[in-house]
Amino acid sequence: MEIKREEIILETDEPPSCEVKWNDWRWQLRNSIRDTYKLSQVFQFSKVQLENLGQVAIKYPFSVTPYYLSLIDKNNPKDPIRMQCIPSEGEDKLYFDIQDDPLGEEKDSVLPGLVHRYPDRVLITLTNICPVYCRHCTRKREWQKGKHVRTQNELENIYAYINLHKKVRDVIISGGDPLILSTGKIEAVLRSLRTIPHVEIIRIGTRCPVVLPQRIDDELVFMLKKYRPLWLNAHFNHPNEITPESSKACDKIVCAGIPVNNQTVLLKGINDDVETMTRLCQKLLRIGVRPYYLFQCDPVSATGHLRTSIEKGLEIIKGMRGFTSGLAVPTFVVDGLDGQGKVPLQPLDYLIALEKDYAILKGYKGEVFKYYNPEGANENRHNL
Ligand code: SF4
Protein backbone atom coordinates (compact mmCIF):
# COMPACT_ATOMS: atom_id res chain seq x y z
CA MET A 1 0.00 0.00 0.00
CA GLU A 2 1.50 3.30 -1.11
CA ILE A 3 1.88 6.12 1.37
CA LYS A 4 -0.80 8.77 0.97
CA ARG A 5 0.37 12.35 0.69
CA GLU A 6 -1.61 13.25 3.78
CA GLU A 7 0.33 10.73 5.85
CA ILE A 8 3.57 12.58 5.30
CA ILE A 9 3.81 14.74 8.37
CA LEU A 10 4.53 18.37 7.70
CA GLU A 11 5.44 20.94 10.24
CA THR A 12 5.81 24.15 8.39
CA ASP A 13 3.95 24.13 5.17
CA GLU A 14 0.62 23.71 3.45
CA PRO A 15 -0.79 20.20 3.12
CA PRO A 16 0.55 18.21 0.18
CA SER A 17 -2.92 17.79 -1.23
CA CYS A 18 -2.26 21.17 -2.84
CA GLU A 19 -1.07 20.18 -6.35
CA VAL A 20 0.82 23.40 -6.92
CA LYS A 21 2.92 22.86 -3.81
CA TRP A 22 3.49 19.16 -4.53
CA ASN A 23 4.79 20.00 -8.01
CA ASP A 24 7.17 22.67 -6.71
CA TRP A 25 10.66 21.21 -6.27
CA ARG A 26 11.56 23.73 -3.57
CA TRP A 27 8.48 22.68 -1.58
CA GLN A 28 9.57 19.05 -1.96
CA LEU A 29 12.99 19.92 -0.56
CA ARG A 30 11.66 22.04 2.30
CA ASN A 31 9.38 19.22 3.33
CA SER A 32 11.83 16.35 2.97
CA ILE A 33 11.78 13.81 5.80
CA ARG A 34 14.98 13.94 7.77
CA ASP A 35 14.18 12.73 11.28
CA THR A 36 13.19 9.45 12.83
CA TYR A 37 10.12 10.92 14.49
CA LYS A 38 8.55 11.75 11.12
CA LEU A 39 9.53 8.32 9.80
CA SER A 40 7.84 6.64 12.74
CA GLN A 41 4.60 8.39 11.81
CA VAL A 42 4.65 6.65 8.46
CA PHE A 43 6.29 3.26 9.13
CA GLN A 44 5.86 0.85 11.98
CA PHE A 45 9.04 0.50 14.02
CA SER A 46 9.57 -1.03 17.44
CA LYS A 47 11.23 1.21 20.03
CA VAL A 48 14.51 -0.72 19.64
CA GLN A 49 14.38 -0.56 15.84
CA LEU A 50 13.83 3.18 15.99
CA GLU A 51 16.73 3.64 18.40
CA ASN A 52 19.05 1.58 16.17
CA LEU A 53 17.95 3.50 13.12
CA GLY A 54 18.59 6.76 14.94
CA GLN A 55 22.10 5.57 15.79
CA VAL A 56 22.86 4.80 12.13
CA ALA A 57 21.42 8.16 11.08
CA ILE A 58 23.80 10.06 13.38
CA LYS A 59 26.71 8.98 11.21
CA TYR A 60 24.85 8.46 7.94
CA PRO A 61 21.91 10.88 7.80
CA PHE A 62 18.87 10.41 5.61
CA SER A 63 16.69 12.76 3.63
CA VAL A 64 13.73 11.70 1.50
CA THR A 65 11.53 13.90 -0.64
CA PRO A 66 7.78 13.50 -0.03
CA TYR A 67 7.47 12.44 -3.69
CA TYR A 68 9.99 9.58 -3.39
CA LEU A 69 8.54 8.54 -0.02
CA SER A 70 5.07 8.35 -1.56
CA LEU A 71 6.27 5.58 -3.92
CA ILE A 72 7.00 3.19 -1.02
CA ASP A 73 4.69 0.36 -0.02
CA LYS A 74 4.63 1.11 3.70
CA ASN A 75 3.64 -2.45 4.61
CA ASN A 76 6.66 -3.97 2.89
CA PRO A 77 9.91 -3.64 4.87
CA LYS A 78 11.75 -4.91 1.77
CA ASP A 79 10.21 -2.35 -0.57
CA PRO A 80 12.91 -1.54 -3.18
CA ILE A 81 12.53 2.20 -2.79
CA ARG A 82 12.44 2.04 0.98
CA MET A 83 15.67 0.02 0.98
CA GLN A 84 17.38 2.71 -1.10
CA CYS A 85 16.49 5.67 1.08
CA ILE A 86 15.58 4.62 4.65
CA PRO A 87 18.51 3.57 6.87
CA SER A 88 18.56 -0.08 7.94
CA GLU A 89 19.54 -1.48 11.26
CA GLY A 90 23.08 -2.79 10.90
CA GLU A 91 23.80 -0.54 7.93
CA ASP A 92 27.03 0.51 9.63
CA LYS A 93 28.12 -3.09 10.19
CA LEU A 94 31.76 -3.62 9.26
CA TYR A 95 32.70 -5.82 6.29
CA PHE A 96 36.26 -6.90 5.59
CA ASP A 97 36.78 -5.10 2.28
CA ILE A 98 35.06 -1.79 2.82
CA GLN A 99 36.63 1.66 2.81
CA ASP A 100 35.44 5.25 2.89
CA ASP A 101 36.98 6.05 -0.50
CA PRO A 102 37.68 2.75 -2.31
CA LEU A 103 37.94 4.39 -5.75
CA GLY A 104 40.69 6.71 -4.56
CA GLU A 105 38.86 9.88 -5.54
CA GLU A 106 40.62 11.90 -2.84
CA LYS A 107 43.97 10.76 -4.21
CA ASP A 108 42.99 11.83 -7.75
CA SER A 109 41.64 15.20 -6.60
CA VAL A 110 43.82 17.88 -8.10
CA LEU A 111 41.83 20.69 -6.45
CA PRO A 112 38.92 20.85 -4.02
CA GLY A 113 35.96 19.65 -6.13
CA LEU A 114 37.98 18.44 -9.13
CA VAL A 115 38.97 14.83 -9.82
CA HIS A 116 41.31 14.23 -12.76
CA ARG A 117 41.85 10.51 -13.31
CA TYR A 118 41.51 9.85 -17.03
CA PRO A 119 43.52 11.84 -19.61
CA ASP A 120 40.65 13.47 -21.49
CA ARG A 121 37.99 14.01 -18.81
CA VAL A 122 37.52 15.52 -15.38
CA LEU A 123 34.86 15.32 -12.70
CA ILE A 124 33.58 18.40 -10.88
CA THR A 125 31.80 17.77 -7.58
CA LEU A 126 29.74 20.92 -7.34
CA THR A 127 28.13 20.21 -3.99
CA ASN A 128 27.73 17.32 -1.56
CA ILE A 129 24.00 17.96 -1.07
CA CYS A 130 21.40 15.57 -2.51
CA PRO A 131 17.60 15.54 -2.44
CA VAL A 132 17.71 11.91 -1.26
CA TYR A 133 20.64 10.26 0.48
CA CYS A 134 20.97 6.88 -1.20
CA ARG A 135 22.02 4.16 1.22
CA HIS A 136 24.39 2.72 -1.43
CA CYS A 137 26.12 6.03 -2.27
CA THR A 138 29.77 5.84 -3.34
CA ARG A 139 30.45 9.22 -1.74
CA LYS A 140 28.92 8.46 1.65
CA ARG A 141 32.11 9.83 3.20
CA GLU A 142 31.03 13.27 2.02
CA TRP A 143 27.99 13.25 4.28
CA GLN A 144 30.18 13.69 7.32
CA LYS A 145 31.79 16.88 6.03
CA GLY A 146 28.76 19.13 6.51
CA LYS A 147 26.76 20.49 3.59
CA HIS A 148 28.73 22.53 1.11
CA VAL A 149 28.53 24.10 -2.33
CA ARG A 150 31.72 25.07 -4.20
CA THR A 151 32.63 28.69 -3.61
CA GLN A 152 33.26 31.10 -6.47
CA ASN A 153 36.94 31.03 -5.64
CA GLU A 154 37.05 27.22 -5.83
CA LEU A 155 35.18 27.30 -9.13
CA GLU A 156 37.58 29.88 -10.61
CA ASN A 157 40.48 27.58 -9.72
CA ILE A 158 38.69 24.66 -11.38
CA TYR A 159 38.10 26.63 -14.60
CA ALA A 160 41.73 27.77 -14.64
CA TYR A 161 42.93 24.16 -14.26
CA ILE A 162 40.73 22.93 -17.11
CA ASN A 163 41.84 25.86 -19.26
CA LEU A 164 45.43 24.86 -18.74
CA HIS A 165 44.90 21.16 -19.47
CA LYS A 166 44.15 21.15 -23.18
CA LYS A 167 43.53 17.40 -23.37
CA VAL A 168 40.38 17.70 -21.27
CA ARG A 169 37.52 17.49 -23.75
CA ASP A 170 34.80 16.04 -21.48
CA VAL A 171 33.65 17.53 -18.17
CA ILE A 172 31.35 15.62 -15.84
CA ILE A 173 29.44 17.70 -13.32
CA SER A 174 28.32 15.66 -10.36
CA GLY A 175 28.16 15.87 -6.60
CA GLY A 176 26.12 15.31 -4.50
CA ASP A 177 23.48 16.31 -6.97
CA PRO A 178 24.31 19.41 -9.02
CA LEU A 179 20.67 19.99 -9.98
CA ILE A 180 19.89 20.75 -6.35
CA LEU A 181 21.41 24.19 -6.99
CA SER A 182 19.46 27.09 -8.45
CA THR A 183 19.15 27.30 -12.22
CA GLY A 184 21.17 30.53 -12.17
CA LYS A 185 24.06 28.91 -10.30
CA ILE A 186 24.14 25.90 -12.66
CA GLU A 187 24.03 28.22 -15.65
CA ALA A 188 26.99 30.22 -14.36
CA VAL A 189 29.06 27.00 -14.25
CA LEU A 190 27.97 25.87 -17.72
CA ARG A 191 28.61 29.31 -19.19
CA SER A 192 32.13 29.38 -17.77
CA LEU A 193 32.91 25.89 -19.04
CA ARG A 194 31.66 26.79 -22.51
CA THR A 195 34.25 29.59 -22.72
CA ILE A 196 37.00 26.92 -22.66
CA PRO A 197 37.55 26.00 -26.33
CA HIS A 198 38.79 22.42 -25.82
CA VAL A 199 35.79 21.38 -23.68
CA GLU A 200 33.74 19.47 -26.23
CA ILE A 201 31.04 17.86 -24.14
CA ILE A 202 29.57 18.35 -20.68
CA ARG A 203 27.81 15.62 -18.75
CA ILE A 204 25.58 16.11 -15.73
CA GLY A 205 25.17 13.28 -13.22
CA THR A 206 21.92 13.65 -11.31
CA ARG A 207 19.28 11.61 -9.50
CA CYS A 208 16.69 14.38 -9.72
CA PRO A 209 14.61 12.74 -12.49
CA VAL A 210 14.19 9.77 -10.12
CA VAL A 211 13.79 11.28 -6.66
CA LEU A 212 12.76 14.87 -7.41
CA PRO A 213 11.33 14.95 -10.95
CA GLN A 214 9.66 18.29 -10.16
CA ARG A 215 13.17 19.80 -10.45
CA ILE A 216 13.11 19.27 -14.23
CA ASP A 217 11.02 22.37 -14.81
CA ASP A 218 10.70 24.51 -17.94
CA GLU A 219 13.15 27.12 -16.68
CA LEU A 220 15.88 24.51 -16.10
CA VAL A 221 15.35 22.73 -19.41
CA PHE A 222 15.30 26.02 -21.35
CA MET A 223 18.61 26.96 -19.75
CA LEU A 224 20.30 23.55 -20.28
CA LYS A 225 19.35 23.55 -23.94
CA LYS A 226 21.64 26.54 -24.54
CA TYR A 227 24.76 24.63 -23.50
CA ARG A 228 24.56 21.55 -25.73
CA PRO A 229 26.21 19.19 -26.52
CA LEU A 230 25.14 18.17 -23.07
CA TRP A 231 24.47 14.66 -21.78
CA LEU A 232 22.56 13.73 -18.70
CA ASN A 233 23.27 10.62 -16.64
CA ALA A 234 20.32 9.55 -14.52
CA HIS A 235 20.29 6.87 -11.82
CA PHE A 236 17.20 4.64 -11.88
CA ASN A 237 17.62 1.39 -9.97
CA HIS A 238 14.17 -0.16 -9.98
CA PRO A 239 11.15 -0.22 -12.33
CA ASN A 240 8.93 1.24 -9.57
CA GLU A 241 10.88 4.47 -9.98
CA ILE A 242 9.50 4.93 -13.48
CA THR A 243 6.33 6.88 -12.78
CA PRO A 244 4.33 9.44 -14.80
CA GLU A 245 6.37 12.17 -13.04
CA SER A 246 9.82 10.69 -13.72
CA SER A 247 8.81 9.78 -17.29
CA LYS A 248 7.71 13.37 -17.92
CA ALA A 249 10.97 14.70 -16.48
CA CYS A 250 13.06 12.50 -18.80
CA ASP A 251 10.86 13.31 -21.78
CA LYS A 252 11.39 17.04 -21.22
CA ILE A 253 15.16 16.61 -21.19
CA VAL A 254 15.20 14.35 -24.25
CA CYS A 255 12.90 16.72 -26.15
CA ALA A 256 15.40 19.52 -25.44
CA GLY A 257 18.00 17.54 -27.41
CA ILE A 258 19.85 16.27 -24.35
CA PRO A 259 20.35 12.48 -24.43
CA VAL A 260 19.67 10.70 -21.14
CA ASN A 261 21.71 7.65 -20.15
CA ASN A 262 21.09 5.62 -17.05
CA GLN A 263 23.61 4.27 -14.55
CA THR A 264 22.15 1.53 -12.34
CA VAL A 265 23.85 0.14 -9.26
CA LEU A 266 23.44 -3.59 -8.68
CA LEU A 267 21.77 -3.81 -5.27
CA LYS A 268 21.02 -6.90 -3.22
CA GLY A 269 17.31 -7.46 -2.69
CA ILE A 270 16.47 -4.46 -4.88
CA ASN A 271 17.35 -5.26 -8.48
CA ASP A 272 19.59 -8.34 -8.35
CA ASP A 273 17.55 -10.61 -10.57
CA VAL A 274 17.07 -10.93 -14.32
CA GLU A 275 13.36 -10.21 -14.28
CA THR A 276 13.64 -6.91 -12.35
CA MET A 277 16.61 -5.67 -14.34
CA THR A 278 14.97 -6.54 -17.65
CA ARG A 279 11.79 -4.76 -16.63
CA LEU A 280 13.77 -1.71 -15.52
CA CYS A 281 15.77 -1.48 -18.74
CA GLN A 282 12.77 -2.06 -21.00
CA LYS A 283 10.83 0.64 -19.15
CA LEU A 284 13.79 2.99 -19.46
CA LEU A 285 13.82 2.56 -23.22
CA ARG A 286 10.12 3.30 -23.30
CA ILE A 287 10.72 6.69 -21.69
CA GLY A 288 13.64 7.48 -24.00
CA VAL A 289 16.44 6.67 -21.58
CA ARG A 290 19.30 4.41 -22.62
CA PRO A 291 20.51 1.81 -20.08
CA TYR A 292 24.23 2.61 -20.01
CA TYR A 293 26.07 1.05 -17.07
CA LEU A 294 25.18 -1.56 -14.48
CA PHE A 295 27.69 -0.94 -11.69
CA GLN A 296 28.90 -3.47 -9.21
CA CYS A 297 28.20 -1.68 -5.90
CA ASP A 298 31.50 -0.23 -4.68
CA PRO A 299 32.94 -1.52 -1.38
CA VAL A 300 32.04 1.68 0.47
CA SER A 301 31.60 1.88 4.22
CA ALA A 302 28.00 1.32 5.33
CA THR A 303 26.86 -0.22 2.05
CA GLY A 304 27.81 -3.86 2.70
CA HIS A 305 24.20 -4.87 3.33
CA LEU A 306 23.33 -3.90 -0.26
CA ARG A 307 26.26 -5.46 -2.08
CA THR A 308 26.07 -8.71 -3.97
CA SER A 309 28.48 -10.88 -5.94
CA ILE A 310 30.05 -10.21 -9.33
CA GLU A 311 28.60 -13.58 -10.44
CA LYS A 312 25.13 -12.15 -9.85
CA GLY A 313 25.83 -9.24 -12.22
CA LEU A 314 27.15 -11.63 -14.89
CA GLU A 315 24.12 -13.89 -14.46
CA ILE A 316 21.84 -10.88 -15.04
CA ILE A 317 23.65 -9.83 -18.21
CA LYS A 318 23.55 -13.41 -19.49
CA GLY A 319 19.83 -13.58 -18.77
CA MET A 320 19.22 -10.39 -20.74
CA ARG A 321 21.56 -10.68 -23.73
CA GLY A 322 19.63 -12.09 -26.67
CA PHE A 323 16.39 -12.29 -24.71
CA THR A 324 15.67 -8.59 -25.09
CA SER A 325 16.82 -5.74 -27.36
CA GLY A 326 20.57 -5.15 -27.25
CA LEU A 327 19.82 -1.50 -26.52
CA ALA A 328 18.22 -2.59 -23.24
CA VAL A 329 21.34 -4.41 -22.03
CA PRO A 330 23.67 -2.20 -19.97
CA THR A 331 27.42 -2.75 -19.72
CA PHE A 332 28.24 -4.45 -16.43
CA VAL A 333 31.17 -2.65 -14.87
CA VAL A 334 33.37 -2.96 -11.82
CA ASP A 335 34.99 0.31 -10.83
CA GLY A 336 38.59 -0.63 -10.02
CA LEU A 337 39.96 0.16 -6.60
CA ASP A 338 42.21 3.11 -5.98
CA GLY A 339 41.69 4.80 -9.33
CA GLN A 340 42.17 1.75 -11.61
CA GLY A 341 39.14 2.85 -13.62
CA LYS A 342 36.13 0.97 -14.95
CA VAL A 343 36.46 -2.66 -16.01
CA PRO A 344 33.66 -3.98 -18.27
CA LEU A 345 32.69 -7.61 -17.57
CA GLN A 346 30.92 -10.11 -19.82
CA PRO A 347 29.81 -13.68 -19.07
CA LEU A 348 32.78 -15.91 -19.90
CA ASP A 349 31.21 -18.61 -21.99
CA TYR A 350 30.30 -16.83 -25.24
CA LEU A 351 33.78 -17.38 -26.64
CA ILE A 352 34.80 -21.01 -26.19
CA ALA A 353 37.91 -21.00 -28.41
CA LEU A 354 39.62 -18.51 -30.71
CA GLU A 355 41.91 -20.01 -33.31
CA LYS A 356 43.69 -18.20 -36.12
CA ASP A 357 41.05 -19.03 -38.73
CA TYR A 358 37.96 -19.77 -36.68
CA ALA A 359 36.24 -19.19 -33.36
CA ILE A 360 34.00 -21.54 -31.39
CA LEU A 361 31.12 -19.48 -30.02
CA LYS A 362 28.09 -20.12 -27.86
CA GLY A 363 24.84 -18.31 -28.72
CA TYR A 364 22.35 -16.94 -26.22
CA LYS A 365 20.25 -20.15 -26.47
CA GLY A 366 23.29 -22.20 -25.47
CA GLU A 367 24.05 -23.67 -28.91
CA VAL A 368 27.73 -24.01 -29.80
CA PHE A 369 28.83 -23.18 -33.35
CA LYS A 370 31.89 -22.49 -35.49
CA TYR A 371 32.48 -19.03 -36.94
CA TYR A 372 35.21 -18.34 -39.52
CA ASN A 373 37.72 -15.68 -38.58
CA PRO A 374 38.22 -13.71 -41.85
CA GLU A 375 41.85 -12.58 -41.60
CA GLY A 376 43.17 -15.95 -40.46
CA ALA A 377 41.05 -17.87 -42.97
CA ASN A 378 42.25 -15.63 -45.82
CA GLU A 379 45.87 -16.05 -44.77
CA ASN A 380 45.53 -19.84 -44.80
CA ARG A 381 43.98 -19.70 -48.28
CA HIS A 382 46.99 -17.70 -49.59
CA ASN A 383 49.31 -20.33 -48.20
CA LEU A 384 47.66 -23.15 -50.16
S1 SF4 B 1 22.10 11.05 -5.55
FE1 SF4 B 1 24.10 10.20 -6.05
S2 SF4 B 1 25.57 11.39 -4.86
FE2 SF4 B 1 23.53 11.71 -3.96
S3 SF4 B 1 23.33 10.21 -2.36
FE3 SF4 B 1 22.43 9.32 -4.20
S4 SF4 B 1 24.12 8.17 -5.12
FE4 SF4 B 1 25.04 9.59 -3.65
Side-chain angles (χ1 to χ4, degrees):
M1 187 194 292
E2 282 180 0
I3 298 167
K4 295 193 186 76
R5 294 182 185 184
E6 292 70 32
E7 291 178 86
I8 300 165
I9 306 263
L10 304 165
E11 282 170 352
T12 57
D13 224 311
E14 285 180 38
S17 50
C18 167
E19 269 318 301
V20 179
K21 294 275 178 189
W22 184 264
N23 292 326
D24 175 355
W25 65 277
R26 289 188 176 84
W27 180 94
Q28 289 280 338
L29 287 179
R30 275 200 308 278
N31 290 286
S32 287
I33 287 67
R34 300 187 181 92
D35 65 68
T36 49
Y37 169 71
K38 281 188 184 175
L39 270 191
S40 68
Q41 302 299 304
V42 180
F43 301 105
Q44 289 214 321
F45 295 114
S46 70
K47 196 162 170 274
V48 177
Q49 280 176 323
L50 207 59
E51 273 170 17
N52 290 341
L53 201 147
Q55 282 304 314
V56 172
I58 291 172
K59 195 162 178 202
Y60 298 106
F62 64 94
S63 179
V64 192
T65 55
Y67 162 78
Y68 199 55
L69 194 80
S70 75
L71 305 182
I72 297 176
D73 174 354
K74 65 176 179 177
N75 297 323
N76 178 10
K78 300 277 181 207
D79 178 275
I81 291 179
R82 175 174 174 163
M83 287 173 71
Q84 288 184 66
C85 63
I86 308 294
S88 317
E89 286 181 78
E91 180 170 312
D92 52 354
K93 190 176 148 198
L94 291 177
Y95 292 80
F96 79 99
D97 59 339
I98 58 164
Q99 302 169 38
D100 279 347
D101 180 22
L103 307 187
E105 289 188 331
E106 306 278 344
K107 178 181 71 80
D108 287 334
S109 285
V110 287
L111 287 170
L114 188 69
V115 178
H116 192 179
R117 171 175 299 153
Y118 302 100
D120 73 339
R121 50 209 187 272
V122 291
L123 167 77
I124 301 176
T125 53
L126 213 46
T127 174
N128 67 350
I129 307 171
C130 292
V132 164
Y133 288 100
C134 313
R135 308 326 293 172
H136 55 275
C137 179
T138 293
R139 305 205 177 102
K140 241 170 161 173
R141 67 183 186 280
E142 285 288 326
W143 304 358
Q144 283 136 41
K145 294 182 181 169
K147 292 182 180 178
H148 65 73
V149 177
R150 294 291 156 214
T151 62
Q152 194 51 35
N153 195 29
E154 286 172 328
L155 287 172
E156 294 298 339
N157 290 338
I158 288 172
Y159 306 143
Y161 180 95
I162 298 173
N163 232 322
L164 212 64
H165 291 76
K166 310 271 185 240
K167 282 192 181 155
V168 175
R169 42 166 286 286
D170 179 1
V171 177
I172 301 152
I173 303 174
S174 182
D177 197 320
L179 295 192
I180 199 103
L181 303 179
S182 71
T183 302
K185 178 106 185 160
I186 302 165
E187 176 158 26
V189 174
L190 293 174
R191 196 187 301 119
S192 301
L193 289 172
R194 277 284 169 239
T195 64
I196 305 174
H198 51 274
V199 171
E200 293 171 13
I201 61 167
I202 300 173
R203 293 189 268 172
I204 297 178
T206 175
R207 237 198 146 189
C208 278
V210 186
V211 298
L212 183 64
Q214 297 79 5
R215 176 63 187 103
I216 314 300
D217 58 14
D218 292 345
E219 183 198 39
L220 177 76
V221 173
F222 182 76
M223 182 280 287
L224 291 177
K225 205 174 168 177
K226 291 191 270 175
Y227 298 94
R228 291 180 300 158
L230 206 62
W231 297 71
L232 195 134
N233 281 342
H235 179 170
F236 287 89
N237 287 328
H238 192 275
N240 290 3
E241 293 170 335
I242 299 174
T243 63
E245 290 90 339
S246 61
S247 306
K248 188 173 158 199
C250 292
D251 191 53
K252 281 174 108 155
I253 304 165
V254 171
C255 286
I258 301 165
V260 182
N261 289 310
N262 189 63
Q263 308 193 141
T264 298
V265 180
L266 179 63
L267 296 168
K268 190 175 176 174
I270 294 176
N271 58 17
D272 60 339
D273 62 274
V274 176
E275 191 272 327
T276 306
M277 195 61 73
T278 305
R279 218 154 32 92
L280 169 66
C281 294
Q282 289 174 340
K283 281 183 113 177
L284 284 171
L285 287 184
R286 271 182 20 212
I287 63 166
V289 175
R290 176 196 162 216
Y292 177 34
Y293 280 138
L294 169 63
F295 278 108
Q296 171 69 7
C297 186
D298 297 322
V300 174
S301 308
T303 64
H305 61 304
L306 293 173
R307 297 182 68 222
T308 185
S309 65
I310 292 173
E311 287 90 329
K312 185 56 86 177
L314 292 171
E315 181 191 310
I316 289 171
I317 297 300
K318 196 171 170 190
M320 293 178 76
R321 176 68 62 200
F323 295 94
T324 189
S325 333
L327 207 53
V329 185
T331 304
F332 179 45
V333 159
V334 169
D335 220 334
L337 298 184
D338 214 19
Q340 295 297 324
K342 295 181 187 69
V343 181
L345 299 179
Q346 279 284 347
L348 287 176
D349 51 355
Y350 292 131
L351 178 64
I352 293 171
L354 181 57
E355 301 296 337
K356 195 167 184 186
D357 48 4
Y358 68 90
I360 304 289
L361 304 176
K362 193 194 265 186
Y364 79 97
K365 288 182 277 188
E367 285 160 14
V368 175
F369 58 93
K370 195 171 187 179
Y371 184 90
Y372 285 99
N373 197 8
E375 299 271 311
N378 288 342
E379 221 174 274
N380 278 355
R381 204 172 302 133
H382 294 317
N383 289 341
L384 285 175

